Amino acid sequence: MAGGHMDTHQLLKDMGQKASAAARKLAAATPELKEKTLLRLSELIIEKQDEITAANAIDLAKAEEKGIDAPRLNRLRLTPETIAEMANACTFIAEMDDPVGAIETQWQRPNGLLVGKMRIPLGVIAMIYESRPNVTIDSGILCLKAGNAIILRGGSEAINSNLALAKLLHEALEYAGLPKECVQVVPTTDREAITAMCKLEEHIDVIIPRGGETLIRTVVDMATMPVLKHYKGVCHAFIDKSANLEEALNIIINGKTQRPGVCNALEGLLVHKDIADKFLPMVAKELGTERDVEFRACPRSLPLLGKTAVAMNESDPGTEYHDLILLVKTIDSMQEAQDYIAENGSNHTEIICTQDYNRALKFMREVDASCVSVNASTRFNDGGQLGLGAEIGISTSKLHSYGPMGVKELTTTKFVIFGQGQVRK
């Protein structure tokens, strides 16, 4: 066993060295080379669709044998639709403006110096994630466009899918004359690989854990480089007393039932007391009776929610259910809703349904989450939906990015100075 761990640490060290070398070449690559890579990758994903599906089928069969729950199986499955989405993301990212090298702001000092800020890659990114193989493509293409090399360590349940997708990434990179080590998938399922990655600060500039609470806490505790946390999604909707109830109901249905296993699914419903008697029976019919949602309800909400409601217990607030379960609480004021969110939210996505402009702005300004929406589903907190093309994840920590991380969020800036021989006095 010890020898295996030593091999894993050496494997990651070698990958880190290759990633550092590749990152320097990628940082200097022209926009045209990156575009060529991405467009070829889009073609390969469609051309090799059968190979991707076959590899994914092996992972799904093994996952079912192990008894993995339905939400995780859903995230693991690559359908023709998700494969088409991956290919489309490649072309979308290819056509975006390249941020690397852009001087975004510039000013002149009294001594004539022109000072500017130039956008540059972060360097080498390490990513640890679970279940979703499409993250392999999304992360790879975003880092490529932003000029970063990336080392990907997916979950053991998706190893065959991830390696099949990595092969296509390597083929596209080499087609454009870029080093295949720009994107590397850790080929072992040994958990020691995570420990090894967390200690590679000489090669890895930032590490992104995307998954369950245990994974993220483990990485935060071990990492010797900055960590961008992509934490759980405990998302709430506050239905204000002036809400359009039909509109709010559709938003709740979409947030809870469209894909209950994802991080921007709705987990908590907070309803103002003035409209609870009217709104909660509508929720009971459309979500409970029609869509089999189980409600975990506070004492005031319970009598209004029908047969699928049970009394909430102490552990329900702050729970990410990943299932057709919804916490429901009747509250006295918007301030109470904000206090509840501050205590039980996860800084992911919070929404308000209201027709009162001032209350909408107050909620939007004061609630701390990576995305706050007015009269729109929680499901829109997503890189693709917000026009970023794709995302490497949704950062719930504020340094150096908050919310979905697209191409621009995977870069930083450095100061650049244009002089005409000035010296400091």
Side-chain angles (χ1 to χ4, degrees):
M1 195 72 170
H5 283 350
M6 188 61 70
D7 293 345
T8 301
H9 280 263
Q10 189 57 51
L11 168 71
L12 266 297
K13 192 171 184 182
D14 292 346
M15 291 178 77
Q17 288 171 339
K18 288 174 182 173
S20 292
R24 287 194 296 276
K25 291 181 181 174
L26 187 55
T30 62
E32 290 75 21
L33 271 186
K34 291 189 259 183
E35 186 178 334
K36 186 177 179 181
T37 307
L38 292 164
L39 293 177
R40 180 61 187 139
L41 179 59
S42 180
E43 292 170 354
L44 285 168
I45 289 169
I46 300 302
E47 286 171 20
K48 304 286 178 75
Q49 185 162 347
D50 291 346
E51 289 179 27
I52 297 168
T53 306
N56 187 236
I58 296 168
D59 288 332
L60 285 167
K62 288 182 177 177
E64 284 173 358
E65 276 175 34
K66 286 181 184 172
I68 284 180
D69 59 62
R72 284 175 69 199
L73 272 178
N74 180 38
R75 294 198 292 274
L76 179 58
R77 182 172 284 107
L78 289 174
T79 64
E81 290 76 22
T82 50
I83 290 170
E85 284 169 11
M86 288 193 290
N88 291 338
C90 295
T91 54
F92 188 98
I93 299 295
E95 290 162 6
M96 286 175 73
D97 290 341
D98 193 314
V100 178
I103 297 176
E104 293 186 335
T105 180
Q106 199 171 48
W107 58 95
Q108 191 164 30
R109 301 292 296 137
N111 62 2
L113 285 179
L114 271 177
V115 181
K117 293 186 89 172
M118 178 186 282
R119 199 149 281 282
I120 59 167
L122 293 173
V124 177
I125 293 171
M127 174 100 170
I128 302 167
Y129 55 108
E130 297 167 340
S131 294
R132 296 186 185 92
N134 57 303
V135 171
T136 305
I137 292 294
D138 286 352
S139 305
I141 63 178
L142 288 166
C143 283
L144 178 66
K145 184 79 171 187
N148 302 302
I150 185 165
I151 299 173
L152 293 156
R153 201 282 185 181
S156 57
E157 71 282 356
I159 186 70
N160 293 288
S161 308
N162 289 336
L163 289 173
L165 294 169
K167 188 178 165 192
L168 303 187
L169 279 154
H170 292 164
E171 199 174 319
L173 284 159
E174 291 184 323
Y175 172 80
L178 289 169
K180 67 179 184 181
E181 291 83 9
C182 291
V183 182
Q184 299 177 77
V185 169
V186 177
T188 175
T189 57
D190 183 358
R191 283 187 171 274
E192 195 65 20
I194 295 174
T195 306
M197 287 172 84
C198 287
K199 304 302 179 193
L200 272 180
E201 76 273 11
E202 70 269 32
H203 296 302
I204 294 171
D205 295 286
V206 63
I207 192 162
I208 301 174
R210 178 175 168 177
E213 190 170 351
T214 307
L215 168 69
I216 291 165
R217 291 199 186 283
T218 301
V219 172
V220 168
D221 288 344
M222 290 195 300
T224 52
M225 70 288 289
V227 179
L228 271 170
K229 288 178 277 191
H230 291 237
Y231 202 35
K232 62 185 179 180
V234 183
C235 308
H236 300 92
F238 167 52
I239 313 303
D240 194 19
K241 58 187 176 183
S242 70
N244 176 324
L245 299 189
E246 289 291 341
E247 180 180 273
L249 185 62
N250 284 333
I251 287 168
I252 302 310
I253 292 167
N254 179 255
K256 181 70 263 181
T257 67
Q258 190 201 36
R259 283 193 73 194
V262 294
C263 61
N264 57 16
L266 184 67
E267 304 291 12
L269 175 61
L270 309 175
V271 180
H272 196 285
K273 62 173 183 171
D274 290 2
I275 49 137
D277 287 354
K278 186 173 181 185
F279 186 63
L280 288 180
M282 295 165 65
V283 172
K285 178 178 182 295
E286 291 299 327
L287 278 87
T289 307
E290 300 289 334
R291 294 172 175 84
D292 298 320
V293 172
E294 178 188 311
F295 304 111
R296 305 282 174 88
C298 74
R300 284 200 282 181
S301 306
L302 190 59
L304 301 168
L305 284 169
K307 293 177 182 175
T308 65
V310 297
M312 73 163 70
N313 59 45
E314 286 180 10
S315 65
D316 282 310
T319 296
E320 187 177 27
Y321 297 113
H322 281 315
D323 205 348
L324 289 173
I325 301 170
L326 183 66
L327 178 142
V328 183
K329 186 172 172 62
T330 299
I331 47 115
D332 291 329
S333 66
M334 185 164 81
Q335 188 58 54
E336 186 186 341
Q338 291 181 209
D339 292 344
Y340 180 91
I341 289 166
E343 187 174 343
N344 299 291
S346 63
N347 305 105
H348 196 291
T349 310
E350 305 294 347
I351 68 171
I352 181 173
C353 294
T354 187
Q355 298 300 302
D356 187 316
Y357 177 77
N358 289 326
R359 284 165 74 82
L361 282 189
K362 177 177 162 57
F363 186 91
M364 188 174 274
R365 188 174 62 247
E366 295 178 7
V367 168
D368 185 8
S370 79
C371 179
V372 181
S373 303
V374 177
N375 298 328
S377 172
T378 57
R379 295 279 290 114
F380 287 113
N381 192 7
D382 169 272
Q385 294 294 317
L386 297 181
L388 307 183
E391 64 178 43
I392 201 166
I394 295 175
S395 171
T396 53
S397 48
K398 295 175 189 171
L399 294 176
H400 86 138
S401 178
Y402 202 24
M405 291 187 67
V407 173
K408 191 171 181 180
E409 289 74 25
L410 288 168
T411 61
T412 185
T413 56
K414 67 180 177 185
F415 283 92
V416 291
I417 299 171
F418 297 91
Q420 298 103 16
Q422 289 94 327
V423 294
R424 184 169 174 175
K425 292 175 183 168

